[in-house]
Amino acid sequence: MELAGGGRLAARAADHRSPERLAGQRVVVVSAGDSAVQIAADLATMARVTLVSWAPSRYPASTSGP
């Protein structure tokens, strides 16, 4: 799905294979599940990631970079 401004939307965690295809891009991961945290951490190795969740996090916040 194309978004305004030329962005794309991958709506399912099952679509995620590796961070390489999003290298150097800004990515927003939206979910309340553990898989979102795992995917965000994986993508953060190659992209600028924002994680948005509607549930309290069970993981400590970190502001340090790679």
Side-chain angles (χ1 to χ4, degrees):
M1 174 180 189
E2 292 293 319
L3 302 175
R8 293 176 301 184
L9 175 64
R12 296 171 34 111
D15 296 335
H16 176 68
R17 297 287 180 254
S18 70
E20 284 82 14
R21 71 182 184 104
L22 297 172
Q25 297 185 46
R26 291 176 19 181
V27 179
V28 177
V29 177
V30 180
S31 180
D34 293 342
S35 62
V37 174
Q38 293 168 342
I39 290 170
D42 186 37
L43 292 173
T45 64
M46 297 194 158
R48 290 184 55 191
V49 177
T50 299
L51 175 62
V52 178
S53 176
W54 53 87
S57 175
R58 294 180 292 163
Y59 303 94
S62 174
T63 57
S64 61

